[in-house]
């Protein structure tokens, strides 16, 4: 028997920790199985549906955050251009377009090889980063889909930051 043939049983499931965090924050959640949980979180622009999936074969915790924005066929190519512009600026995670559903999602995976157990702070950091990225870029996707803007225009407009208060 080689080391590769030995399968170890993980002592804890990271999804259990995520359920505890969701319950502690009074977030609506649905535990569809031992390895998956979906949480609904109200954002500034829309409600986000964040799914965490434990992928045992990779020893990775996968996060996918979707917002309610349906990409129509005529705007598909421009949304793909926007995805490229947004993703080249990101350090962690990335945006994808699920072509079958026409939905934009933010995705990130946390490797937990070797029986590593994520801390609550790490899970909350993953979740916080996902929501922050969705909030920051939501308007750019809306500008492309609903206002017919180009990817560059939409990103410039959405990321425009003001100084001071009116």
């Amino acid at each position: 028997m080689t080391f590769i043939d030995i399968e170890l049983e993980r002592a804890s499931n990271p999804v259990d920790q995520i359920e505890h965090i969701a319950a502690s924050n009074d977030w609506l959640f649905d535990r569809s199985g031992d390895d998956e949980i979906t949480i609904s979180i109200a954002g500034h622009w829309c409600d986000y549906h964040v799914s965490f999936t434990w992928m045992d074969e990779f020893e990775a915790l996968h996060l996918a955050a979707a917002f309610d924005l349906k990409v129509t066929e005529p705007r598909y190519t421009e949304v793909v251009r926007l995805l490229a512009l947004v993703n080249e600026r990101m350090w962690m995670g990335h945006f994808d377009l699920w072509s079958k559903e026409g939905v934009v999602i933010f995705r990130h995976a946390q490797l937990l090889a070797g029986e590593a157990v994520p801390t609550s702070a790490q899970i909350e950091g993953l979740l916080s980063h996902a929501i922050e990225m969705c909030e920051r870029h939501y308007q750019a996707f809306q500008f492309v889909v609903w206002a017919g803007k180009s990817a560059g225009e939409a990103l410039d407009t959405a990321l425009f930051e003001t100084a001071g208060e009116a």
Side-chain angles (χ1 to χ4, degrees), residues 53-127:
T53 305
W54 171 246
M55 302 170 70
D56 198 42
E57 64 274 18
F58 301 111
E59 291 187 278
L61 184 62
H62 179 260
L63 174 150
F67 39 78
D68 295 325
L69 180 69
K70 202 77 157 148
V71 178
T72 59
E73 183 62 36
R75 301 306 299 157
Y76 187 88
T77 301
E78 202 59 36
V79 167
V80 171
R81 285 187 182 113
L82 179 58
L83 287 170
L85 291 174
V86 168
N87 286 337
E88 73 183 11
R89 298 173 180 221
M90 298 184 73
W91 287 85
M92 292 189 323
H94 65 280
F95 281 95
D96 268 336
L97 176 61
W98 283 4
S99 57
K100 190 174 182 180
E101 293 86 4
V103 176
V104 175
I105 62 166
F106 174 83
R107 295 176 46 175
H108 184 64
Q110 178 69 45
L111 183 63
L112 298 170
E115 297 292 311
V117 177
T119 66
S120 292
Q122 288 171 320
I123 292 170
E124 289 173 4
L126 282 171
L127 185 56

Side-chain angles (χ1 to χ4, degrees), residues 48 50 63 65 95 106 125-135:
Y48 299 102
V50 183
L63 174 150
F95 281 95
F106 174 83
L126 282 171
L127 185 56
S128 176
H129 177 70
I131 298 301
E132 181 183 331
M133 292 299 100
C134 289
E135 288 279 283

